[in-house]
Structure formats: structure tokens, C-alpha cells
Amino acid sequence: MTDAPYTPPKVWTWDKENGGQFASINRPVAGATHDKELPVGQHPLQLYSLATPNGQKVTILLEELLALGHSGAEYDAWLIRIGDGDQFGSGFVAVNPNSKIPALLDRSASPPIRVFESGSILLYLAEKFGAFLPKDIPGRTECLNWLFWQMGSAPYLGGGFGHFYAYAPEKWEYPINRFAMEVKRQLDVLDRRLADSEYLAGADYSIADIAVWPWYGGLINGVLYNDSATFLDVGSYTNVQRWTKAIGSRPAVKRGRIVNRVTGDPASQLHERHDASDFETKTQDKIAKAK
């Protein structure tokens, strides 16, 4: 980093080496970079994902739906390694032209229905199965308020604070302070809401909680962005702490958050999920023992 201020050029040009940890996969154009068909399993719902916070939203909801007895929510979860550029394969781009995980293909319809963007997937599944989304207009609207709050807010947490605090090649005070202030404001928004309500949309657990928990619950639990939980003093948000613990204790959440996970404790990594029994037999610790 130089002491001289940056002066933007008249016309921006792409520097392939710029971008730190993600320089190898970030680019200013869309579309496929290589031909690769997606695998297809036996279930109607085919999920192509990775256990980032956005990916966890969908696997948590699917596990919650199965726990309620919705057999039609059975799914195959295929691993998309975004660090390797799997999201730029032709098959994936055909499902999600934006080349971001998660992406869902519902093969119970003819022709199959593609669903991309995590919020859209949550809403699609909640409506398809009639669960985790209030049916009355005021309740449904409140749920969607918080669902879309997450869509608009999390980029400041991830692409803003997370990038500059944990991933940028150098530490810069201005962007870290700017985004830390915004994330703390967001945590205060959540804390004030959860002081008055058990869950975000009201008395009942919903897709609003499922959308928000992997991001802000992950921050509270100290699993995002190195020591950011200490830096942001997340312990002071007591209502968010209570909510985070309550959701994290749900069995379906415990299952959903490890699907397509490739980091951390091997017992918490289920690279692919094709059957409910996979949680007992195919986590990475079990696979290692079987070798």
C-alpha cells in the first residue's frame, strides 16, 4: 500500500492480479468459462451449492421441511467448489446465469424449474410446501420484510466488512471502520426487533430466521471472519445471542449447516448429501475411518 491517494483512471480496466484471495475467480464478465454438465441424482430437487452462509439457508430449510414430513423435499446436494471455479461451468450457468451458489433445479416439474438466488429459493420452497411462511397477509408481509432485509443487508457484512477485515491484501482503516459501523447498526436493528419478538417475523420460526441466521448467527457464534466477534463486541447484543442459540439448537439446523461443508472439523463436513442416512455414514470423519 502506498501513501498516495488513489486517483481512478478515466476508464476502468481489469487487473487480473487485483482482488487478493479471490483474484483467480473474480472477473468483470458473465457466462461459462468451460463445458461441464451438472450431475443429477434420484430426487426431484437437485441442489448445487457450498456451505457458505447463503448455501446453508437452503439446506437448513430443506432439512426443516423433511423434519415436518414433507417427503417431496428430499434432495440431492451436489458440491460446487467456488474456489475452483465450478460455478462457471456451462451446466451451472444454465441453472444460474449469475454464477453464484446456491442454485436449485426442481425436476418434479416438466420442464424442470430453475431457481437461483438464495432468497428466491427460500420463498419458492416455502410456497411449494406451504411451510415456514405465514399465510395471513400481515404475517407474510412481516416475514418478507425480514427476508428482504437480509438480502439487502448481508452484502455489507460479507462483501464489505468481511472482505476488508479478513480477506483484503492489506488492512485499510477507512473501509474497515465504515463497514464495521454498518454491521453494528444492523446487529442493533436485529437486537431491538428480537427484544420484542421471539423470532424475526413474530411468534413463529420462518424463512426470515432461516435466511438471517447463517450470516448473523454465524457472526455471533464466532465462525465468520477470524476474530470479528471480538472486534464487533457481539456479546453485547443479548437478544441476538438468545435467538442465535435457540435456532442453532434445532436438529434440522444442525444437519443443514454441514451439508456441502468442506472446512472445519471433519465430523461437520458432509460434502454431498443424497440420503438422510448420509449424516450418519458419509461425513468426512466416517469416510476417513473407513479407508
Side-chain angles (χ1 to χ4, degrees):
M1 179 178 177
T2 64
D3 293 331
Y6 171 64
T7 301
K10 187 172 183 179
V11 178
W12 182 85
T13 56
W14 181 25
D15 177 0
K16 291 185 179 181
E17 302 303 316
N18 189 17
Q21 182 175 334
F22 303 103
S24 64
I25 60 171
N26 286 341
R27 58 198 181 104
V29 293
T33 61
H34 58 282
D35 289 329
K36 184 176 182 181
E37 293 302 310
L38 290 173
V40 178
Q42 62 177 326
H43 300 302
L45 298 177
Q46 299 294 301
L47 178 67
Y48 305 96
S49 192
L50 181 70
T52 65
N54 284 336
Q56 289 177 44
K57 299 173 192 175
V58 180
T59 48
I60 287 171
L61 177 56
L62 287 166
E63 291 298 326
E64 292 281 14
L65 289 167
L66 290 170
L68 282 182
H70 293 285
S71 60
E74 269 294 353
Y75 67 105
D76 291 279
W78 301 95
L79 179 61
I80 299 296
R81 294 182 181 271
I82 60 177
D84 295 342
D86 290 351
Q87 69 275 32
F88 300 120
S90 57
F92 189 89
V93 173
V95 179
N96 185 357
N98 196 38
S99 292
K100 302 290 184 181
I101 61 93
L104 179 73
L105 196 63
D106 185 353
R107 296 174 63 87
S108 69
S110 183
I113 298 171
R114 71 177 187 182
V115 196
F116 59 91
E117 297 299 322
S118 59
S120 179
I121 297 173
L122 293 185
L123 185 56
Y124 177 82
L125 292 172
E127 291 184 329
K128 179 180 177 74
F129 294 102
F132 302 110
L133 178 64
K135 294 180 173 57
D136 63 292
I137 291 177
R140 175 187 170 89
T141 302
E142 186 66 9
C143 179
L144 295 183
N145 287 341
W146 289 103
L147 175 65
F148 288 111
W149 177 89
Q150 188 276 315
M151 304 299 131
S153 297
Y156 291 97
L157 169 55
F161 172 77
H163 176 77
F164 286 104
Y165 187 76
Y167 302 132
E170 299 177 71
K171 302 293 186 187
W172 294 307
E173 182 179 2
Y174 175 78
I176 290 174
N177 284 347
R178 168 66 181 87
F179 290 113
M181 178 171 61
E182 172 59 15
V183 172
K184 286 185 70 66
R185 189 194 68 81
Q186 293 174 4
L187 287 168
D188 195 43
V189 170
L190 291 174
D191 205 59
R192 290 168 185 265
R193 170 58 177 167
L194 293 167
D196 299 327
S197 181
E198 185 173 2
Y199 296 106
L200 288 173
D204 297 322
Y205 176 64
S206 73
I207 56 172
D209 303 289
I210 293 171
V212 174
W213 186 85
W215 283 103
Y216 297 87
L219 191 64
I220 292 291
N221 285 330
V223 298
L224 295 182
Y225 314 129
N226 303 331
D227 61 346
S228 60
T230 300
F231 181 73
L232 296 170
D233 187 26
V234 300
S236 63
Y237 303 98
T238 56
N239 300 305
V240 185
Q241 292 269 353
R242 183 268 306 164
W243 169 87
T244 295
K245 183 177 180 180
I247 293 177
S249 68
R250 297 177 66 91
V253 173
K254 292 179 180 180
R255 291 192 299 272
R257 68 178 298 273
I258 74 170
V259 177
N260 298 142
R261 180 173 292 280
V262 295
T263 59
D265 181 353
S268 72
Q269 295 183 40
L270 182 61
H271 287 188
E272 292 186 356
R273 187 266 192 217
H274 303 289
D275 185 83
S277 65
D278 291 347
F279 292 101
E280 302 301 324
T281 62
K282 294 185 179 179
T283 52
Q284 287 301 293
D285 59 325
K286 303 286 183 19
I287 290 174
K289 286 181 181 178
K291 290 182 179 179

